[in-house]
Amino acid sequence: MYATPEQFAAANKASVDALFTVAQAQFAAFERLSALNFNTTKAAFENSVSQAKALMSVKDAQEFANLSANAAQPALEKAIAYSRNVYEVASQTQAEVTKLAETQAAVMNKSLVALMDKLSANAPAGSDVAVAAVKSAMAATNSAYDSFTKAVKQATDLAEANVTAATANVVKQAGKKKAA
């Protein structure tokens, strides 16, 4: 009924492993964001150089206006693409951490159920009602957690769909303004 040093060591090892997994996910996300930022900065610099060269060869106001108008749409599309990439990295990292948290919660729940089974087997006579109440509370907590997880997933999916629709609308509106 009592925890052994081996059980404590195993629990501590599992906690440290989980911590390292989260740290690795965060470092991987940082690496992807750094690469994205570097590539975006490099492309922006190259674009600025070519834009400056084009501006140096402008001969009249109409050519200047056309050059400015033609540069606006690709810049907006690049900014939106950058935002999408950042969002994708954040979503992937969040999904990895969520999966780990769900796994840890399942392991903890399994351990609690096993502990409750041990306690109920060794419980004094007449404590059946208290043990049943604790088990019922655990079942209700698990059910609430599952409902909460599903609601958060639905809200996340809805928010992602709204962001995608809004982004498409911004690109569409910018294209209309360019054509006008």
Side-chain angles (χ1 to χ4, degrees), residues 167-177:
T167 301
N169 190 32
V170 167
V171 170
K172 182 178 174 184
Q173 293 300 323
K176 284 182 181 179
K177 286 182 182 179

Side-chain angles (χ1 to χ4, degrees), residues 5-178:
E6 291 82 18
Q7 289 171 322
F8 281 118
N12 285 338
K13 182 184 181 311
S15 296
V16 169
D17 288 346
L19 180 63
F20 283 147
T21 302
V22 169
Q24 287 171 340
Q26 294 298 320
F27 280 122
F30 178 73
E31 184 178 24
R32 289 191 308 259
L33 283 174
S34 295
L36 176 64
N37 286 334
F38 175 78
N39 292 333
T40 301
T41 302
K42 182 180 176 187
F45 175 74
E46 291 169 353
N47 188 41
S48 295
V49 168
S50 67
Q51 189 70 14
K53 287 179 181 178
L55 282 172
M56 300 287 250
S57 66
V58 168
K59 294 182 176 67
D60 60 15
Q62 182 62 36
E63 191 177 346
F64 177 77
N66 290 341
L67 184 64
S68 296
N70 290 337
Q73 182 70 19
L76 177 62
E77 290 171 358
K78 288 176 186 175
I80 290 171
Y82 174 80
S83 297
R84 282 182 186 156
N85 288 332
V86 168
Y87 180 76
E88 183 180 311
V89 169
S91 294
Q92 288 172 351
T93 304
Q94 185 263 340
E96 290 173 22
V97 172
T98 299
K99 184 177 177 183
L100 176 67
E102 289 172 353
T103 302
Q104 290 297 105
V107 168
M108 187 173 105
N109 187 41
K110 187 177 178 183
S111 297
L112 282 173
V113 168
L115 177 64
M116 287 305 300
D117 288 344
K118 276 186 177 180
L119 288 176
S120 65
N122 296 322
S127 63
D128 296 344
V129 173
V131 170
V134 170
K135 285 184 177 181
S136 176
M138 284 176 50
T141 301
N142 287 336
S143 177
Y145 176 76
D146 289 342
S147 296
F148 176 74
T149 302
K150 288 176 184 174
V152 167
K153 172 101 172 84
Q154 288 174 346
T156 302
D157 291 345
L158 180 62
E160 186 172 337
N162 287 339
V163 166
T164 301
T167 301
N169 190 32
V170 167
V171 170
K172 182 178 174 184
Q173 293 300 323
K176 284 182 181 179
K177 286 182 182 179
K178 181 182 176 188

